Amino acid sequence: MKNVLQLSLLLAALVSCQKDNSVEPNADAYPQTWQLVKLTSDWTNVVKTGADLPWQETYVFQADSTFTKTRQQGDQLLQAKGTFSLRNFSEGQYATLTYAAASSLIGSCTTSTLKETLVLQPDQTLVSTWRACDGPGLEYKKVK
């Protein structure tokens, strides 16, 4: 747990102290749809993929820096919207999502925030940073 706290503090320091490394979205690259492909639980050492996932989830990013997150769990459909910004750091590209309203879909280390952070990995996987504070490990692949 101590390492997780240190990692969270390091990430916060990197985001707040680095010069502005903002990236403007390339309009030709959008819209982008990212689908949940893997869920990892550090508590139970369980990894779920495909049809074994407890829910289906997508992010759709638009060229105007807006996004929609959708989760289908059984017959329940949840959706949340907001804006995103991209930043480049030495560790990779980060997307900071700012939701328009509170939602149970926000995967964040702080329950009182409207922000969520995702990291674009070198293997073109989008990964939630929620895992750093004992949340599930969520990985997404671009489907279009």
Side-chain angles (χ1 to χ4, degrees):
M1 186 66 177
K2 183 178 178 182
N3 289 339
V4 171
L5 179 59
Q6 289 173 340
L7 178 64
S8 296
L9 291 174
L10 177 63
L11 180 60
L14 283 172
V15 171
S16 64
C17 295
Q18 291 214 9
K19 64 181 179 184
D20 186 14
N21 293 327
S22 297
V23 177
E24 288 296 320
N26 175 358
D28 295 336
Y30 294 90
Q32 292 182 6
T33 301
W34 294 77
Q35 183 172 344
L36 180 65
V37 294
K38 184 176 178 184
L39 182 144
T40 306
S41 171
D42 288 335
W43 291 96
T44 60
N45 292 321
V46 171
V47 176
K48 295 195 176 207
T49 60
D52 291 335
L53 288 166
W55 64 81
Q56 299 299 310
E57 189 168 88
T58 59
Y59 290 97
V60 178
F61 297 97
Q62 302 293 339
D64 65 355
S65 296
T66 61
F67 75 91
T68 303
K69 183 176 184 179
T70 305
R71 179 182 294 169
Q72 177 79 46
Q73 188 169 13
D75 60 355
Q76 184 179 27
L77 181 68
L78 299 173
Q79 196 172 68
K81 297 180 179 208
T83 60
F84 72 93
S85 62
L86 302 173
R87 292 181 170 255
N88 285 327
F89 294 102
S90 58
E91 306 82 32
Q93 189 172 66
Y94 286 72
T96 301
L97 284 54
T98 304
Y99 287 80
S103 172
S104 62
L105 294 181
I106 301 173
S108 175
C109 293
T110 308
T111 57
S112 62
T113 186
L114 295 178
K115 294 193 182 283
E116 180 176 355
T117 304
L118 304 168
V119 182
L120 182 60
Q121 300 290 332
D123 67 354
Q124 299 301 301
T125 301
L126 196 61
V127 178
S128 171
T129 60
W130 194 11
R131 187 176 191 176
C133 56
D134 298 330
L138 302 172
E139 296 181 25
Y140 303 83
K141 287 287 188 181
K142 189 157 82 169
V143 293
K144 69 176 190 176

